[in-house]
Amino acid sequence: MNETQRQSLLGAIAISSGAAGFGNITPQQRADAFANLEQFKTYPGRMAACVEMIGCSTLQIAGVGNVPSDVTVPGKLYALGLIQEFLKVGYNSLNESDRGQLRSSIVLAARQLAMPVDSSSIKMNDSTRILAVKIAALLADLALREFPQRWQTFVSDLFSPVSNGGMWCEAGADTGGNAAGIKICLECLKLVTEDCTDSDYNARISTTRRNDILLGLNEMSTRLLPLLFELLSKQYGDVNNAKSTLQAMHQYVASNGRTMAQMTPDERAQYQQELDRRDAAGGIVADVLGTLEKFCQSMPLDWMLKVENGNDFVAALLHLLQEDVANIQVLSVACLQQLSMRKLDQYQWFRLVSSLPPALFEATNAAAQRANERAIAPNSIDMLIEQLEFHRSLSKMGSTLVTAHLAHITTDKDISSGRGVKFDAVSSYLNLLSEMMSHPSGVICGEQINTWVGLLRDPAIVRTNVLSPHLGRVLTAYMNHIVKIRWEDVWEQEHPYSALIEASWDDDEAYDDWLGNLRSKASQLFRSIGNTEPEIAVTVIHSQMRTLLNAHCNGEPRDQLNPENNELTVTSTACLKFEGATQPLDNILHGLPSWAVDDGNYDAKRSRIRSIIRPLLSELASMIVSWNPNDIWLKFRRTTLLEALKHYWKYEPSTLPSGVDTLLMYLSATDNPPKERISEDVIGLRKKSGVSLVAVSKVVPHLLVPWLSQLSDRAKTLLTSGGLSPINEMHLYEFLSCVATAVENPVDRSNFVADVLANSMRSLESPTIQSSIQSTEGLLSLMGISQAGTNSSCVTDPEFVKKVTREFSTLYSSLNQLLSVGKRCHEAARKRPNGGLPVQSLSPVIDGSVALNFPDEGPINLSDLAINDPFVALWPKLLPTLLQVFDVTLRVWHPEFQVSLLRNNVQRYALAISDDEAYLATKQESSVGGVFGKGGTAGSIISGTDRRDMNLAPRWSGWFNELRNNCFQLLGLLSAQRILYAPEMSHLFPQLVSIVTNQEHLRSMEHRHFTQYLKQFIEIMILSCPSSLYQSHLTAILGPVFEHLQVRFQYSWNPILGTGGLSAESTKPLFFSQLC
């Protein structure tokens, strides 16, 4: 390449990099420069030119007015990039001589950069640092290909002093202007180590090359490690010397009654020089630690853990925990983190465990001293923010050291016995971890939760006394941090730790994700502490709840109020506090061992603990039950606390009636003052009360039996009041059915269930419902679809919408209540002996030649089934109505009705999919808020409206979906309860078969309908049918269904597979225009 070509190349580099001296550059000049640089990549002699460029001390080109413009950095970076690309594609084609020459040229360029230019230079400028990193990457690529077989002088070429032809600093001398050489050596060594790490995700080099390089490095470790340790010691000493000088300067200026801003120019220059010296030395220490981190991660443990000739890297890392310059303490923790994840033997692990507490004590004192020098408190917000990254990484490292080596705790006899040096060291270390969690930022304790859960789940560790002294602090810390922070206070800087919180999380979304993760893991932690140390757990939760109720029982400090009624909102402080207390209360009570609460006879230790726990729990339950807040959201929080008491009520039910009475009362809660339309807050309270009632009844149904008559009367009062929503009625029915399953007398149990469901049965038998389900036209009229055909405006008429909704809810709610109670009774029956089937009362098998595998294989009378399942007695009255509803519902999809409905612009929406089905089909994340949330499908079926609006059209599809699935599930329940096979139901069996196998029904079902039909009915019927009844009951249903299934598959797949027989026209979508 001649001089003209060289100048043209440098000019293109200068224009592309925006070098100074070229004035305003036009877009055409930039395009030409880019084209020249791309063309140079195909130039045959580009490697020689690049080697020449990186060997030059400077690269200059004449700019505007022939003023020289320096392009050394962009020119060398461009040349190094081309060489690096060549190494990937063309290096293997070179002969041995050319390889050696290329390697020597790159090493020479690196030495040239490493040569001290100015002995007074302290800091390395950014351009030099960039070049150093780029050359280091190039040297690392060469080492991966050549070391140790063909580049045996790798270590001496790099790590020899500059005076001996290397790039390293002189022994004991100040680095000065040789910082670039040290940066090249450390960066190259780090990259080589990183690329040789054995990993499933590292495929840069082959396993053979990786092993060769690691063997070569291991042989050179005795030469490399002393150099690194000496450099680390020397530079850390320089950091301390510079800091001492700076402190002396501060004292000198202060002694003269001046501030640092009042320094003279000479003083300011000297002060800046010491700052540069400190930062330069700190930067080198940081570079050394970056390389050591890779050693800790991948290299033999002896490199870091073996103490030889005074080189103790672990001691150095522990000492550096107190240095904050250049983030040294965080990098030291990163090195220790990598060591903690390795497989340490017991001696190595114990050394770290025993050394960390005193090292951190010194680090804390150093931080306090720095705070005093700045005249601020050691625990001030500024200091907490400055050290947040250090504290977080320290918490993570400390917990990892325990989690990765639990076996060292469980297998050590001294620790297991609770005495000795090792026990004291481990206890001191766990005390350190628990004290860290008092940090105001939740991210600190968030790093440790897996460790404490792991410790509590290990039975060998739980049996020792090593955890007990620390669990109180651990429990308190996590209970404090699962209380949600109101992010508006952080934005407004009203939270006392606003600045620290903003430093801990990027935004409120990041905080919400973190809080959700913490709460999901904390459940196991609370439960484990309650099971392991019930005395500690109950004492802490009792104290927390008493403090909460004393401070916030009336909503104090009554902030974030609703301006309409001056009541608390979900974001009020009191509500957030009680919401945070629910999870630990529920999990602690759930985790308590039975011996801590029941009346059994136990040893003296357990009896003593029980004598402490039971009074506290009794007082706790009384406080929650007697608390009577006025605000809706406080009532909601009280409901969640009452639900948590279900675990305690199993053993001591004295407050159970009052708690259940409160939940029943909240089912009919109203706004204050009353509104024409119930608010969303009250609806939420009612729903939560119903869910809590069901949850309590599932745990303690037998304890509610003595109040069965009172509960029944109370339920009737609520149901006849007309103020309950359908979902509240459902919860009430489920609650009563759960209680009914605990009644021992079968007759009383059946009578009670029949009494509970009397309203539902009467609704289905009412003339309005019966006339509506006699024909498909009647059902369409009930749902307002027929009326929309003659008057489309009626679907938005408020009075008509309310009337239709009320009438359809009567039909659907009655069926849904029967389904819910039936499922609950069936679940309870299956828990009884023999799955709820009375073996002694089985009907004899007619065909004696059939070999039975189980004693219950055969038909069973309804009276026998009703012994364990009280819902059975309702089927003779329910089944005819169910079959009628099933029949008329499926007829809506018959061709004659589809043609009629699809022709009408409003009625056609009855055949659409619902918003909920569309939402499930899109597989949206639940975090977006569901159907009505961001990204939901509400309003996508009928543009601009959804089922929440006063409009019938978007409701029809959902109604049909619910009604159809309800019928499928009731038929599945009919099979699961063995009613389908009872002799008393034989007269209805032909009617059932004719409806469920009606070919018109099967052909008219969409795939989404047919899938649910198979899953919710056919599958359950096959699984529950006795083998002796396969021929008599299954054949009549499965035969037609499977024949239709085969045809459905054929029609669905033939157009796709192209196997002939059917034209693709038969599967084309039918558009509205084709019907007109």
Side-chain angles (χ1 to χ4, degrees):
M1 186 171 66
N2 56 37
E3 185 62 24
T4 302
Q5 292 173 324
R6 184 173 181 272
Q7 290 297 316
S8 176
L9 176 64
L10 293 178
I13 293 174
I15 292 174
S16 299
S17 62
F22 279 81
N24 295 326
I25 301 174
T26 64
Q28 183 61 42
Q29 288 177 315
R30 286 192 185 279
D32 293 341
F34 179 77
N36 289 338
L37 294 179
E38 289 298 310
Q39 185 179 4
F40 180 75
K41 293 180 181 180
T42 62
Y43 176 60
R46 64 186 181 279
M47 283 300 101
C50 289
V51 169
E52 179 186 354
M53 288 173 63
I54 65 174
C56 296
S57 58
T58 59
L59 295 174
Q60 292 185 344
I61 184 174
V64 177
N66 290 325
V67 177
S69 177
D70 183 48
V71 291
T72 303
V73 175
K76 288 191 174 184
L77 287 176
Y78 176 74
L80 290 170
L82 291 184
I83 295 175
Q84 196 165 25
E85 288 297 322
F86 175 76
L87 290 180
K88 297 177 182 179
V89 296
Y91 186 75
N92 291 335
S93 63
L94 298 179
N95 57 39
E96 202 67 32
S97 175
D98 291 340
R99 289 184 181 184
Q101 186 176 357
L102 178 60
R103 184 173 67 245
S104 299
S105 300
I106 297 173
V107 171
L108 183 61
R111 286 176 181 165
Q112 185 182 61
L113 185 66
M115 290 294 294
V117 179
D118 183 5
S119 59
S120 63
S121 176
I122 297 176
K123 294 184 65 176
M124 179 170 50
N125 59 52
D126 293 338
S127 298
T128 304
R129 177 176 288 273
I130 293 172
L131 276 177
V133 172
K134 190 68 174 180
I135 291 179
L138 201 56
L139 290 171
D141 282 347
L142 285 173
L144 292 177
R145 291 167 172 80
E146 304 288 322
F147 178 77
Q149 288 89 343
R150 291 185 294 272
W151 191 5
Q152 300 177 358
T153 59
F154 167 69
V155 174
S156 59
D157 286 345
L158 270 67
F159 291 90
S160 296
V162 175
S163 59
N164 294 340
M167 307 176 200
W168 200 249
C169 59
E170 302 293 335
D174 193 4
T175 57
N178 196 35
I182 295 174
K183 178 67 177 177
I184 292 174
C185 295
L186 293 174
E187 188 71 18
C188 177
L189 191 58
K190 182 174 74 171
L191 292 174
V192 170
T193 305
E194 185 175 10
D195 289 334
C196 290
T197 301
D198 189 9
S199 169
D200 294 337
Y201 305 100
N202 185 4
R204 286 202 60 186
I205 58 177
S206 64
T207 303
T208 303
R209 281 296 304 146
R210 179 185 297 126
N211 293 336
D212 290 343
I213 296 171
L214 291 177
L215 286 173
L217 289 176
N218 200 38
E219 291 177 359
M220 295 296 178
S221 63
T222 54
R223 181 175 178 183
L224 290 172
L225 295 178
L227 291 176
L228 295 180
F229 190 84
E230 180 185 0
L231 179 65
L232 187 67
S233 303
K234 173 66 171 60
Q235 296 305 310
Y236 178 62
D238 291 348
V239 170
N240 280 331
N241 291 337
K243 290 173 64 177
S244 299
T245 303
L246 290 171
Q247 180 62 23
M249 290 180 175
H250 279 274
Q251 294 175 355
Y252 173 76
V253 172
S255 65
N256 292 330
R258 294 181 294 162
T259 64
M260 300 305 295
Q262 295 173 328
M263 290 187 296
T264 65
D266 291 340
E267 290 173 339
R268 187 173 290 108
Q270 294 178 13
Y271 186 81
Q272 185 62 45
Q273 185 177 19
E274 288 302 318
L275 283 177
D276 292 343
R277 189 183 305 278
R278 183 200 65 183
D279 294 342
I284 294 177
V285 172
D287 290 338
V288 175
L289 292 175
T291 303
L292 292 181
E293 181 185 358
K294 299 303 177 184
F295 288 176
C296 294
Q297 178 184 5
S298 309
M299 290 304 177
L301 286 172
D302 285 346
W303 281 31
M304 294 292 101
L305 298 178
K306 186 177 180 180
V307 180
E308 188 174 9
N309 299 326
N311 297 338
D312 189 349
F313 283 98
V314 171
L317 293 174
L318 292 172
H319 186 74
L320 290 175
L321 294 176
Q322 55 188 288
E323 185 54 66
D324 65 329
V325 174
N327 225 19
I328 289 175
Q329 55 186 182
V330 176
L331 294 172
S332 301
V333 174
C335 294
L336 294 172
Q337 169 75 13
Q338 296 300 329
L339 285 178
S340 67
M341 293 191 293
R342 301 287 295 275
K343 189 176 181 179
L344 306 176
D345 61 36
Q346 193 170 39
Y347 171 78
Q348 295 167 341
W349 177 78
F350 182 73
R351 181 192 176 194
L352 288 176
V353 166
S354 58
S355 301
L356 270 169
L360 292 178
F361 178 76
E362 294 178 2
T364 303
N365 290 338
Q369 182 178 352
R370 290 195 297 270
N372 291 333
E373 291 171 358
R374 296 166 55 184
I376 59 176
N379 292 325
S380 64
I381 297 296
D382 292 338
M383 288 298 295
L384 290 174
I385 294 174
E386 285 182 15
Q387 292 203 297
L388 177 63
E389 186 179 359
F390 170 61
H391 288 152
R392 183 172 187 174
S393 59
L394 187 63
S395 180
K396 182 177 181 180
M397 181 273 295
S399 60
T400 303
L401 186 59
V402 175
T403 306
H405 302 88
L406 288 178
H408 292 333
I409 300 178
T410 59
T411 57
D412 191 275
K413 295 182 180 180
D414 290 342
I415 298 176
S416 300
S417 63
R419 61 178 183 276
V421 177
K422 291 185 178 180
F423 175 83
D424 294 339
V426 172
S427 182
S428 175
Y429 186 79
L430 294 178
N431 182 66
L432 170 69
L433 292 181
S434 63
E435 287 181 345
M436 283 186 195
M437 291 191 292
S438 62
H439 195 283
S441 175
V443 296
I444 306 302
C445 71
E447 298 290 352
Q448 296 188 27
I449 190 163
N450 290 331
T451 297
W452 292 105
V453 171
L455 288 168
L456 288 164
R457 292 181 64 179
D458 193 312
I461 297 177
V462 168
R463 285 194 294 267
T464 67
N465 296 323
V466 71
L467 295 180
S468 301
H470 321 294
L471 292 182
R473 283 195 299 270
V474 171
L475 181 58
T476 302
Y478 284 111
M479 288 179 63
N480 291 336
H481 285 298
I482 66 171
V483 177
K484 188 172 184 178
I485 297 172
R486 191 166 50 228
W487 207 258
E488 290 80 4
D489 292 347
V490 178
W491 285 335
E492 300 295 334
Q493 299 296 310
E494 295 178 357
H495 194 282
Y497 293 104
S498 295
L500 180 62
I501 293 171
E502 289 181 326
S504 301
W505 296 279
D506 294 335
D507 51 26
D508 56 334
E509 291 184 3
Y511 170 73
D512 289 341
D513 291 342
W514 173 87
L515 183 63
N517 186 44
L518 180 72
R519 287 183 172 182
S520 65
K521 295 178 179 178
S523 295
Q524 179 66 42
L525 178 76
F526 295 143
R527 197 174 300 126
S528 298
I529 294 178
N531 185 265
T532 304
E533 292 292 340
E535 181 180 353
I536 295 175
V538 172
T539 302
V540 171
I541 192 65
H542 174 269
S543 175
Q544 291 272 4
M545 288 304 306
R546 183 173 57 186
T547 302
L548 272 178
L549 289 170
N550 289 338
H552 305 289
C553 63
N554 294 318
E556 296 85 351
R558 300 203 65 81
D559 53 359
Q560 302 289 318
L561 299 179
N562 185 343
E564 295 182 1
N565 53 15
N566 206 36
E567 283 203 356
L568 300 181
T569 61
V570 68
T571 59
S572 298
T573 299
C575 297
L576 293 176
K577 293 288 186 181
F578 282 110
E579 188 249 353
T582 302
Q583 182 185 3
L585 175 65
D586 181 79
N587 286 283
I588 287 174
L589 295 180
H590 189 195
L592 290 178
S594 58
W595 59 262
V597 195
D598 64 17
D599 296 321
N601 294 322
Y602 302 101
D603 57 58
K605 180 181 178 182
R606 290 187 172 184
S607 298
R608 182 191 62 80
I609 295 175
R610 183 176 58 185
S611 65
I612 297 174
I613 289 177
R614 292 180 66 170
L616 293 177
L617 289 176
S618 178
E619 183 182 352
L620 176 63
S622 298
M623 287 191 296
I624 296 174
V625 171
S626 60
W627 178 36
N628 188 22
N630 295 320
D631 296 87
I632 294 297
W633 272 106
L634 286 185
K635 292 179 179 179
F636 186 95
R637 298 306 175 201
R638 183 192 180 196
T639 300
T640 60
L641 296 176
L642 288 171
E643 181 182 344
L645 289 178
K646 64 182 181 288
H647 304 296
Y648 169 67
W649 284 332
K650 288 190 299 185
Y651 305 101
E652 212 293 301
S654 60
T655 54
L656 174 60
S658 300
V660 170
D661 184 68
T662 299
L663 296 176
L664 288 170
M665 178 180 65
Y666 286 167
L667 283 179
S668 56
T670 58
D671 287 288
N672 185 22
K675 298 181 179 179
E676 181 179 353
R677 185 174 181 179
I678 300 176
S679 66
E680 292 293 329
D681 292 346
V682 173
I683 292 174
L685 172 61
R686 289 184 172 191
K687 288 182 179 180
K688 183 58 185 175
S689 301
V691 171
S692 298
L693 269 175
V694 175
V696 171
S697 64
K698 287 182 179 180
V699 177
V700 290
H702 57 287
L703 298 177
L704 293 170
V705 172
W707 292 278
L708 196 58
S709 60
Q710 294 93 323
L711 292 174
S712 180
D713 294 339
R714 184 68 181 275
K716 290 178 180 178
T717 303
L718 289 171
L719 291 171
T720 56
S721 65
L724 296 184
S725 64
I727 192 169
N728 289 138
E729 293 180 359
M730 179 63 58
H731 290 147
L732 191 56
Y733 282 122
E734 287 196 41
F735 166 71
L736 295 174
S737 64
C738 288
V739 178
T741 58
V743 177
E744 293 298 330
N745 189 301
V747 176
D748 293 342
R749 186 163 58 237
S750 297
N751 291 337
F752 180 74
V753 170
D755 188 43
V756 167
L757 297 173
N759 288 337
S760 299
M761 294 300 298
R762 279 195 294 268
S763 297
L764 291 178
E765 294 170 353
S766 64
T768 302
I769 298 298
Q770 285 297 317
S771 62
S772 300
I773 63 175
Q774 290 304 312
S775 63
T776 303
E777 292 81 359
L779 180 63
L780 294 176
S781 177
L782 176 74
M783 299 174 67
I785 299 174
S786 297
Q787 295 86 326
T790 56
N791 180 16
S792 60
S793 63
C794 70
V795 299
T796 55
D797 179 35
E799 294 301 322
F800 183 72
V801 172
K802 292 179 182 179
K803 172 182 175 294
V804 170
T805 302
R806 183 172 59 253
E807 291 178 349
F808 175 79
S809 295
T810 302
L811 170 62
Y812 172 72
S813 297
S814 299
L815 291 173
N816 200 33
Q817 289 159 8
L818 289 163
L819 173 64
S820 178
V821 175
K823 283 184 175 180
R824 195 72 61 202
C825 292
H826 180 57
E827 290 174 4
R830 292 184 62 185
K831 296 177 182 179
R832 300 181 188 276
N834 198 45
L837 299 176
V839 179
Q840 69 278 9
S841 303
L842 291 178
S843 301
V845 180
I846 299 175
D847 186 1
S849 63
V850 179
L852 303 183
N853 297 318
F854 300 98
D856 62 337
E857 291 192 347
I860 305 176
N861 295 325
L862 291 182
S863 58
D864 295 329
L865 290 172
I867 293 175
N868 289 314
D869 194 336
F871 188 81
V872 167
L874 298 176
W875 275 111
K877 296 173 63 178
L878 172 61
L879 184 56
T881 301
L882 172 62
L883 293 177
Q884 192 65 36
V885 174
F886 183 84
D887 183 54
V888 298
T889 302
L890 294 186
R891 287 185 183 277
V892 175
W893 267 260
H894 284 200
E896 61 270 21
F897 288 102
Q898 285 204 49
V899 169
S900 174
L901 296 176
L902 288 173
R903 287 182 183 276
N904 187 279
N905 289 332
V906 177
Q907 289 179 317
R908 60 180 175 173
Y909 290 116
L911 302 175
I913 66 171
S914 64
D915 287 338
D916 300 88
E917 291 174 292
Y919 180 78
L920 293 175
T922 58
K923 297 181 180 178
Q924 295 279 350
E925 293 288 339
S926 59
S927 59
V928 299
V931 176
F932 295 94
K934 183 180 180 181
T937 53
S940 63
I941 306 302
I942 305 179
S943 180
T945 184
D946 57 62
R947 66 175 185 267
R948 285 183 172 177
D949 298 329
M950 192 61 69
N951 191 334
L952 287 177
R955 302 186 186 188
W956 288 331
S957 57
W959 285 355
F960 273 122
N961 188 48
E962 292 170 342
L963 191 59
R964 184 174 50 250
N965 287 333
N966 200 299
C967 292
F968 290 158
Q969 292 180 62
L970 278 169
L971 289 175
L973 181 64
L974 178 78
S975 304
Q977 291 180 322
R978 302 283 289 269
I979 309 302
L980 182 62
Y981 321 112
E984 294 89 337
M985 306 297 290
S986 59
H987 66 287
L988 292 173
F989 187 72
Q991 181 185 357
L992 183 144
V993 172
S994 65
I995 293 177
V996 301
T997 63
N998 185 311
Q999 290 301 307
E1000 283 297 320
H1001 290 347
L1002 298 178
R1003 284 194 294 267
S1004 302
M1005 285 188 196
E1006 299 177 21
H1007 285 339
R1008 59 191 174 104
H1009 305 161
F1010 198 73
T1011 300
Q1012 299 301 321
Y1013 172 75
L1014 294 176
K1015 185 174 184 63
Q1016 297 175 356
F1017 169 47
I1018 298 297
E1019 179 182 341
I1020 297 175
M1021 182 186 67
I1022 295 173
L1023 293 174
S1024 61
C1025 182
S1027 61
S1028 60
L1029 302 181
Y1030 285 173
Q1031 186 65 32
S1032 59
H1033 287 71
L1034 287 191
T1035 304
I1037 297 176
L1038 294 185
V1041 170
F1042 286 167
E1043 288 177 4
H1044 167 76
L1045 190 59
Q1046 183 179 6
V1047 174
R1048 184 178 285 258
F1049 282 150
Q1050 182 183 5
Y1051 273 79
S1052 299
W1053 285 101
N1054 274 351
I1056 299 173
L1057 299 177
T1059 55
L1062 295 172
S1063 66
E1065 295 294 328
S1066 62
T1067 58
K1068 280 187 175 181
L1070 184 65
F1071 293 98
F1072 179 75
S1073 59
Q1074 295 174 285
L1075 299 174
C1076 300

